[in-house]
Amino acid sequence: MQLIVLDDDFNIIGPVPLFTTLIWTRRYSKLGAFELYTTKDYFPVLNAGKYLYRNDADELGVIAEVCYQQDDNGNRSIYAKGNFAESLLYDRVIEGTAMLSGNLEAVMRQLVTNYAISPSNSDRIIKHLRLGDLNGLAATIDSQVTGENLSDELYSLANVEEYSYRIRYDYLTNDLVFEVWQGKDRRDSQQENSWAIFSNSFYNIKNAIYNRDESSYRNVAYVAGEDTDNGRTVVEVDMRTSSDEERKELYVDARDQQSDSGDGEVLSDAEYKELLIARGKSKLAEYQKVETVDSSIDSEANLEYKKDYDLGDYCNYINTEIGIEMEQRITEIQETYEGSKTSLSITLGYDGVSTVSQLIKREA
C-alpha cells in the first residue's frame, strides 16, 4: 500500500511512506471516512494537500482536517482526517425544484450532471468529475425535490432501494468517476454468486456485537401535500407486510411537493398522489428496524476480503450460541493499519444514522 498526497488538480505533492495508524472506513449508505496518524516530517505535505490517494483502493480521501501536536515532553505528532470523494457532492445543493421521474439510476446520474458536472452556472462545476458506466439497475422513481443537499438526496434516494453511489478516482486519467451501484447477493438462498456466511461455527468472526432496536421504527405514513388546512391532499402509505403487523404511524409534511412545478406541466390528482406516496416511502425508509452485527473478522479463516465478500454484499450471519440468524448487507468495513498489524471489522445491517451532516460533524 502506498499513500500519496495530491493537490486539487491531482498533482503529486509527496508520499507518506511511514505512519503509525491508518483507519480507512468504507460505508455503503453514508460517507466513508479516514484517519491518518503519522510523524511531524509529513506535516508540510499533508497540510498542503487536498486529496489522500491510496494505490490499492478505489476510494479517494478528501483532507478536511490536519492537526500538529506537541506535548510537554517535546514529542510531536500529526494527524489528517476527512471523508471520501463522495463528500464533494455535499458542497452542492438542489437550489430549485427538480422533478425526479423514471429509472432511479438515470435520475441520480442526471442530478449529478445538473448540479456538479454541467450546471447552468459553470462556477458550480466540480473539477474532473464525470459519469461512469451504467450498471443497469432497474428501480424507478416518481418524486420531486427542492432545496436539498445533493449528497444527502442521493443517499436518500439510493437507500430506498438498497443502492449506493460512489466516486472512484482513476489515477491513470485523473478523473473522478460517479457510479450508482449495488452490492452482490451472497446469501445461501441464491446460486449466482459464492456464499458468504459469517458464523461462530465457521470461526471467521470474533468480538461480535448484536443489536436490535425498533424504538424508531415506523411502517405507516400519512403524507400531507400542498395547500393548507382541510384543502391539503393526504395519502396513506402502508408498508406493513400484513394487516396483523402492529401499526406504527408517521406524519410527513410534504407541502414542498407541488402539482405545478412552474415548468408548464401540471400533475393530475392521480399523478400528484403518486408523488406523495413516493415521499412517504422515502421517509419510512429512514425509520426502519435496526438490526446490526459489528464484528472483527478473522482474515485467516475461510472468507477472503474483496474476493468472497465486500462492501454492500448481502450475506448471512449465524450465531449458534444465542440463536440468531439474519440476512443483511455489509454496510461498513473498517480497515485499521498499525505498523505491521492489520485488522478488519464489518457491520452487517443499517444502524439508522443516515444524514451526511451528522457524520461530517462527528468525524471529519
Side-chain angles (χ1 to χ4, degrees):
M1 176 177 61
Q2 294 180 343
L3 296 179
I4 301 173
V5 179
L6 309 172
D7 68 14
D8 60 357
D9 274 321
F10 302 126
N11 298 306
I12 295 176
I13 295 178
V16 184
L18 299 174
F19 56 86
T20 54
T21 304
L22 172 64
I23 303 172
W24 198 262
T25 306
R26 307 169 63 210
R27 297 190 176 105
Y28 189 69
S29 58
K30 53 200 176 191
L31 288 181
F34 73 91
E35 300 177 25
L36 175 66
Y37 298 85
T38 184
T39 66
K40 65 180 180 61
D41 300 328
Y42 303 107
F43 177 79
V45 172
L46 286 165
N47 197 43
K50 169 72 172 181
Y51 299 112
L52 181 66
Y53 167 65
R54 183 177 149 185
N55 72 328
D56 63 344
D58 284 336
E59 298 87 15
L60 179 70
V62 180
I63 299 171
E65 178 184 355
V66 178
C67 179
Y68 169 86
Q69 297 175 323
Q70 179 179 343
D71 63 22
D72 293 340
N73 297 320
N75 298 315
R76 299 168 176 84
S77 63
I78 70 164
Y79 69 75
K81 297 181 181 181
N83 293 97
F84 294 154
E86 292 79 19
S87 63
L88 296 172
L89 298 182
Y90 189 76
D91 296 333
R92 298 292 180 269
V93 297
I94 302 170
E95 83 286 358
T97 297
M99 301 299 297
L100 313 178
S101 181
N103 177 268
L104 177 56
E105 182 182 9
V107 165
M108 293 175 66
R109 289 163 63 91
Q110 192 61 52
L111 283 173
V112 174
T113 298
N114 291 349
Y115 297 99
I117 296 177
S118 301
S120 56
N121 179 357
S122 61
D123 193 44
R124 305 181 73 188
I125 293 173
I126 294 178
K127 293 192 298 184
H128 305 286
L129 183 62
R130 67 172 176 84
L131 297 179
D133 293 336
L134 283 162
N135 283 313
L137 303 177
T140 60
I141 186 174
D142 188 6
S143 187
Q144 186 182 104
V145 60
T146 303
E148 296 293 335
N149 174 275
L150 180 57
S151 180
D152 278 343
E153 185 62 22
L154 290 170
Y155 277 122
S156 178
L157 293 171
N159 287 346
V160 174
E161 299 294 338
E162 294 193 20
Y163 292 170
S164 185
Y165 85 87
R166 61 189 170 202
I167 295 179
R168 292 188 299 102
Y169 173 53
D170 189 326
Y171 184 78
L172 297 178
T173 64
N174 277 344
D175 285 334
L176 295 169
V177 184
F178 175 86
E179 296 172 337
V180 183
W181 67 290
Q182 186 173 49
K184 294 181 179 179
D185 188 347
R186 295 192 179 277
R187 294 173 293 176
D188 59 6
S189 57
Q190 55 81 41
Q191 302 298 323
E192 181 180 354
N193 301 304
S194 60
W195 299 351
I197 302 173
F198 296 95
S199 173
N200 58 324
S201 298
F202 296 156
Y203 303 101
N204 55 14
I205 58 173
K206 46 189 178 181
N207 306 324
I209 300 174
Y210 171 81
N211 179 60
R212 181 176 65 84
D213 183 356
E214 299 182 12
S215 57
S216 298
Y217 175 57
R218 295 292 180 266
N219 53 23
V220 177
Y222 288 97
V223 187
E226 61 188 358
D227 215 333
T228 58
D229 301 327
N230 294 332
R232 301 185 72 177
T233 301
V234 180
V235 299
E236 178 183 337
V237 181
D238 190 342
M239 298 298 290
R240 293 179 297 165
T241 55
S242 76
S243 58
D244 294 330
E245 183 180 347
E246 182 181 0
R247 293 176 69 97
K248 293 182 177 292
E249 297 178 347
L250 175 72
Y251 179 82
V252 180
D253 187 344
R255 70 181 71 230
D256 62 308
Q257 302 288 281
Q258 299 291 310
S259 59
D260 184 354
S261 62
D263 59 1
E265 181 180 352
V266 179
L267 301 178
S268 67
D269 288 344
E271 290 171 331
Y272 184 63
K273 287 181 179 179
E274 286 298 320
L275 201 67
L276 297 181
I277 290 171
R279 169 61 67 87
K281 290 180 179 179
S282 176
K283 283 297 180 183
L284 287 173
E286 300 175 11
Y287 293 85
Q288 293 296 307
K289 297 177 181 178
V290 174
E291 186 178 31
T292 61
V293 171
D294 295 291
S295 176
S296 298
I297 299 299
D298 187 345
S299 59
E300 303 298 322
N302 62 324
L303 296 176
E304 183 179 343
Y305 179 41
K306 293 190 176 180
K307 176 184 176 184
D308 299 314
Y309 68 95
D310 203 350
L311 183 69
D313 288 354
Y314 215 155
C315 305
N316 296 90
Y317 172 79
I318 302 172
N319 189 319
T320 57
E321 183 177 353
I322 57 175
I324 293 294
E325 294 188 21
M326 61 186 246
E327 299 176 341
Q328 291 282 12
R329 288 196 185 278
I330 299 176
T331 54
E332 182 172 310
I333 298 179
Q334 185 174 90
E335 308 168 16
T336 303
Y337 304 88
E338 293 180 296
S340 60
K341 181 182 177 183
T342 300
S343 61
L344 195 67
S345 64
I346 68 170
T347 298
L348 289 159
Y350 295 87
D351 65 4
V353 179
S354 59
T355 64
V356 177
S357 55
Q358 287 177 277
L359 290 162
I360 287 182
K361 181 177 180 181
R362 188 178 68 193
E363 295 187 300

